[in-house]
Amino acid sequence: AILLTSNQSLGAWGDVFGDAVIASAILDRLLHHATTINIKGDSYRLREKRKAGLVRSTVTAHAER
């Protein structure tokens, strides 16, 4: 069994690897018979940093522009 996590969407893997064809081949092999789970929202680390005031929320940052 393999568990693979990424903070990049599958569509962005071409940019990550610098070649969309290679990224597509990698994803084809990884995702064959795979179960994917897409988790949306802030990570626990980011949430805790926001609570501590170390990172501004995106809502606050957009409002200041």
Side-chain angles (χ1 to χ4, degrees):
I2 296 173
L3 177 67
L4 179 70
T5 64
S6 175
N7 63 347
Q8 298 293 320
S9 69
L10 296 178
W13 278 37
D15 294 332
V16 172
F17 287 101
D19 187 337
V21 175
I22 296 294
S24 178
I26 291 169
L27 288 170
D28 181 56
R29 285 152 183 83
L30 284 174
L31 297 176
H32 183 69
H33 293 297
T35 300
T36 60
I37 300 171
N38 187 11
I39 301 171
K40 295 184 182 208
D42 292 339
S43 69
Y44 287 111
R45 282 179 281 179
L46 184 56
R47 202 175 316 158
E48 292 302 314
K49 285 182 180 181
R50 283 198 177 121
K51 281 183 188 177
L54 299 173
V55 176
R56 294 188 305 183
S57 72
T58 55
V59 174
T60 304
H62 288 296
E64 292 177 356
R65 289 183 183 173

